[in-house]
């Protein structure tokens, strides 16, 4: 878990209401003393006069044997079960998706990734049953 904490840039996602017109989206994760994880999500939103938004969420690890199953919430009492579908050996790229295969996020430690890595992750997501036609790249231009 320690290697997973810190800043992640959202490279691509299935956009919900918050991510629909977002850019420069990132997540800062910090494990708290009680084992839960605080998630601070930042993004620039709006087309004509963009402004920074911050959303605070929390997560808990549902499977401490693998650390790959998370319960994430940004609005109480709504919780979504996510799984780590792929995590690179050096913790620089992660693909997370919900159990119903409605939502997926590709995040990286840098603001961009090479095209071939993006394509590989989309193939993996598709092979796992996610509709990749719904995935939107999140512009990272700051």
């Amino acid at each position: 878990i320690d290697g997973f904490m810190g800043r992640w840039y959202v490279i691509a996602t299935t956009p919900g209401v918050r991510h629909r017109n977002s850019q420069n989206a990132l997540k800062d994760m910090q494990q708290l003393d009680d084992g839960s994880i605080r998630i601070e999500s930042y993004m620039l939103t709006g087309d004509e006069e963009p402004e920074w938004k911050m959303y605070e969420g929390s997560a808990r690890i549902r499977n401490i044997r693998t650390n790959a199953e998370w319960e994430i919430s940004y609005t109480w009492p709504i919780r979504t079960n996510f799984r780590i579908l792929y995590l690179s050996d050096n913790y620089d790229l992660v693909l997370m998706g919900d159990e119903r295969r409605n939502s997926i996020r590709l995040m990286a430690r840098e603001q961009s990734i090479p095209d071939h890595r993006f394509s590989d992750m989309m193939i993996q997501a598709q092979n796992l049953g996610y509709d990749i036609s719904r995935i939107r790249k999140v512009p990272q231009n700051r």
Side-chain angles (χ1 to χ4, degrees):
I1 292 297
D2 289 342
F4 199 85
M5 297 299 107
R7 177 157 291 175
W8 289 94
Y9 294 93
V10 180
I11 303 299
T13 187
T14 47
V17 174
R18 292 180 183 149
H19 279 281
R20 195 160 288 134
N21 293 316
S22 70
Q23 54 186 317
N24 301 316
L26 61 93
K27 297 185 181 295
D28 284 328
M29 298 191 194
Q30 176 188 14
Q31 189 169 28
L32 304 177
D33 291 338
D34 66 1
S36 66
I37 298 166
R38 181 174 63 204
I39 304 170
E40 293 178 352
S41 295
Y42 299 90
M43 64 190 75
L44 198 56
T45 62
D47 292 328
E48 293 180 26
E49 293 185 37
E51 63 178 300
W52 283 102
K53 299 279 186 175
M54 192 277 268
Y55 301 96
E56 191 168 334
S58 64
R60 71 177 184 88
I61 307 297
R62 291 181 44 223
N63 183 335
I64 58 172
R65 186 177 50 78
T66 65
N67 293 328
E69 297 174 27
W70 294 35
E71 185 179 84
I72 299 175
S73 177
Y74 282 95
T75 306
W76 187 87
I78 300 168
R79 297 194 169 278
T80 305
N81 294 323
F82 274 87
R83 293 189 177 179
I84 297 174
L85 306 172
Y86 172 84
L87 179 61
S88 63
D89 290 338
N90 61 351
Y91 290 76
D92 72 336
L93 188 66
V94 66
L95 184 65
M96 294 182 79
D98 76 331
E99 291 179 337
R100 295 180 313 215
R101 294 178 173 80
N102 291 326
S103 180
I104 197 163
R105 281 190 193 98
L106 175 61
M107 299 186 297
R109 295 295 187 177
E110 301 292 328
Q111 290 181 296
S112 65
I113 61 173
D115 290 340
H116 73 276
R117 288 188 89 187
F118 180 83
S119 295
D120 289 347
M121 292 296 98
M122 293 303 99
I123 290 168
Q124 184 158 348
Q126 187 171 32
N127 289 342
L128 291 169
Y130 290 87
D131 180 0
I132 62 170
S133 70
R134 295 181 51 230
I135 296 172
R136 171 189 172 268
K137 281 189 173 182
V138 178
Q140 295 284 346
N141 51 24
R142 281 198 174 226

